[in-house]
């Protein structure tokens, strides 16, 4: 085991909470990837802050985003927030996902909804809530705090960790405590299309889906975990489940809640949680 692996294993053993495991996952990135991560988080943080400031300074755009939120049902609001949280998880993994990207109006509405969640306090917020005033006060307080005025990137990293750590609780709440078990959603079309086709050479093996031999010289499907299957079997299986039938390795899925769970588990494994 190399020095980096030893350090990561030793460090992650001290972490137990989700936030600590997320920090351990971030620290497990190689130095070059870690620098890219910090740069990506800082750029994204500035963009989201500037977009929220734009909404607050432009009454027509604020009203448009608020009207968009009012037009959505509770379940649609949950999906909108889930897609923004998914964006945070993808950033922490340095794996942007175009399939779950939001169009600008929905992005503005999601940013506004997240700001509402962060700024609302049942004990101090008036009723009815003046969302423009409440969000503005919270944003200014955040900007003028010691972390907001700091010159390092760690407050930004802390913000993304704190936000991402809410994902597990969020998934539990939206599912009513009965979230789908692993593998109950199809793999994404993009993930399936990107799978390589490899030729069987030497000893043939059994396809665990159909229990038949994979003949030498025949092209078969290989998953990222290196397990192989007949193409017809793989397509049929992945059309129902996003997991390897041998080791349960998870492929990306177009189900937003399923993808959140997959990325959350990936981060927890990286951080030893």
């Amino acid at each position: 085991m190399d020095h980096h692996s030893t350090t990561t294993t030793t460090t992650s053993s001290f972490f137990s909470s989700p936030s600590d495991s997320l920090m351990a996952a971030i620290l497990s990135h190689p130095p070059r990837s870690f620098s890219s991560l910090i740069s990506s988080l800082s750029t994204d943080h500035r963009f989201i802050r500037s977009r929220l400031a734009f909404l607050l300074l432009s009454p027509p755009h604020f009203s448009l985003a608020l009207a968009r939120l009012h037009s959505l049902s509770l379940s649609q609001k949950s999906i909108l927030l889930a897609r923004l949280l998914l964006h945070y998880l993808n950033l922490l993994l340095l794996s942007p996902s175009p399939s779950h990207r939001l169009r600008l109006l929905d992005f503005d509405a999601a940013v506004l909804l997240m700001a509402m969640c962060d700024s609302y306090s049942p004990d101090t917020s008036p009723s009815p809530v003046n969302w423009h005033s409440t969000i503005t006060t919270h944003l200014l307080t955040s900007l003028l705090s010691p972390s907001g005025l700091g010159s390092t990137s760690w407050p930004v990293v802390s913000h993304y960790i704190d936000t991402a750590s809410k994902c597990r609780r969020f998934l539990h709440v939206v599912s009513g405590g009965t979230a789908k078990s692993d593998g109950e959603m199809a793999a994404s079309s993009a993930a399936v299309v990107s799978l390589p086709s490899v030729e069987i050479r030497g000893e043939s093996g059994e396809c665990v889906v159909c229990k038949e031999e994979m003949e030498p010289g025949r092209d078969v499907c290989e998953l990222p975990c290196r397990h192989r299957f007949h193409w017809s079997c793989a397509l049929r299986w992945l059309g129902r489940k996003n997991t390897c039938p041998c080791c349960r390795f998870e492929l990306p899925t177009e189900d937003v809640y399923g993808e959140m769970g997959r990325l959350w588990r990936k981060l927890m494994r990286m951080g030893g949680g």
Side-chain angles (χ1 to χ4, degrees), residues 151-221:
S151 58
T152 69
S153 299
W154 285 110
V156 174
V157 174
S158 178
H159 166 73
Y160 278 82
I161 288 176
D162 290 343
T163 303
S165 66
K166 300 172 184 176
C167 290
R168 183 174 64 174
R169 176 61 180 165
F170 176 79
L171 285 171
H172 181 78
V173 170
V174 298
S175 65
T178 57
K180 290 180 180 179
S181 61
D182 299 349
E184 290 186 354
M185 67 286 296
S188 70
S189 299
V192 174
V193 168
S194 67
L195 293 174
S197 183
V198 297
E199 182 183 342
I200 295 293
R201 296 181 180 179
E203 283 189 34
S204 61
E206 182 186 75
C207 172
V208 301
V209 178
C210 66
K211 307 300 181 182
E212 294 182 4
E213 291 292 310
M214 293 182 286
E215 301 171 1
R218 181 175 178 178
D219 285 346
V220 295
C221 171

